[in-house]
Amino acid sequence: MTQTLPLQKRFTFDEFIEWYPDNSPLRYELHNGVIIEMPPPTGDHEDVVGFLTEQIVTEFKQCKLPYAIPKSALVKTPNGESAYIPDVLVLNRDNLKNEPLWKKESTVIYPESVPLIVEVVSTNWRDDYHNKFSNYEEMGIPEYWIVDYAALGGRKFIGNPKQPTIVVCELIDGEYQMTPFRGDDLIASPTFGQLNLTAQQVFGSVI
């Protein structure tokens, strides 16, 4: 589970960046002004992240798109009270020249820089289904995947009984439209229309 650090004050984004320890093996996010220590991921989580990264990179290279996936860049929300390190962050390199925080803080703030974000669900599933969902929607991120390979989320999202589900959220008229994919469903990605990938292939990446 995520751990809230024992710090008494709420932090602005600038204060968070100034506080962030150099060369730390730990990762931190800012959640509504509170610094959160992110726990080391499980092997299963990393299997899914690695598999999806490979699939997405292959796709945008074949399509000759100017995209990249950084290791640990931050996505800052419009109000500046939250900053996240997505599990998979697809960046449009052509727009990074417009990002005022990119060079010094590896942080993006504009939706034009982010074609797709993928979050792989952990025990803190409410962050992905609620907080990050609403923040990415408000930012205008055009596509957001919630990959719930272990069926941890609420039943209203992944069915009853619970089952592994990938929810693709597409921004339409300023709101996310959510489409679930399970089993042999072919994932429909607005960003990568030629992606030939089923939900079960993603879930099957766990060793």
Side-chain angles (χ1 to χ4, degrees):
M1 297 180 65
T2 54
Q3 178 182 352
T4 302
L5 297 184
L7 302 171
Q8 299 301 314
K9 60 171 286 186
R10 291 174 63 87
F11 280 66
T12 66
F13 174 78
D14 289 341
E15 290 170 335
F16 167 63
I17 289 296
E18 183 177 354
W19 169 89
Y20 207 105
D22 293 333
N23 302 317
S24 172
L26 301 176
R27 300 193 314 164
Y28 302 91
E29 293 185 338
L30 187 68
H31 291 206
N32 295 319
V34 177
I35 296 177
I36 303 292
E37 178 185 323
M38 308 307 292
T42 65
D44 290 352
H45 182 280
E46 290 299 271
D47 286 339
V48 173
V49 170
F51 176 78
L52 281 171
T53 299
E54 290 175 1
Q55 297 298 312
I56 293 170
V57 168
T58 297
E59 187 66 19
F60 66 63
K61 283 187 174 181
Q62 288 179 345
C63 295
K64 298 182 178 179
L65 295 168
Y67 293 171
I69 296 179
K71 180 181 179 181
S72 56
L74 287 161
V75 176
K76 175 177 171 286
T77 59
N79 61 16
E81 294 183 350
S82 296
Y84 304 121
I85 303 174
D87 289 315
V88 182
L89 172 62
V90 179
L91 291 180
N92 180 352
R93 290 178 55 83
D94 284 352
N95 200 64
L96 293 181
K97 62 182 180 292
N98 301 316
E99 291 284 355
L101 305 176
W102 177 251
K103 287 288 188 181
K104 291 185 64 176
E105 297 163 1
S106 64
T107 299
V108 293
I109 62 175
Y110 296 132
E112 294 81 5
S113 300
V114 187
L116 171 66
I117 285 177
V118 178
E119 297 285 7
V120 177
V121 177
S122 301
T123 51
N124 55 323
W125 61 269
R126 287 178 176 81
D127 285 343
D128 300 322
Y129 282 102
H130 294 290
N131 299 336
K132 293 182 180 181
F133 177 96
S134 61
N135 282 320
Y136 294 153
E137 182 182 62
E138 182 185 4
M139 285 186 69
I141 303 300
E143 184 174 354
Y144 169 41
W145 291 16
I146 305 172
V147 179
D148 199 342
Y149 71 95
L152 297 173
R155 291 177 177 83
K156 65 181 178 180
F157 301 112
I158 62 174
N160 188 11
K162 293 184 178 184
Q163 54 187 313
T165 302
I166 296 172
V167 179
V168 173
C169 308
E170 179 183 5
L171 194 71
I172 299 175
D173 296 331
E175 297 182 3
Y176 275 146
Q177 304 299 312
M178 305 172 69
T179 304
F181 298 91
R182 305 179 180 98
D184 292 329
D185 293 343
L186 196 64
I187 300 168
S189 168
T191 302
F192 300 109
Q194 303 302 312
L195 186 67
N196 186 20
L197 184 66
T198 67
Q200 185 54 48
Q201 284 176 296
V202 177
F203 305 143
S205 66
V206 175
I207 296 175

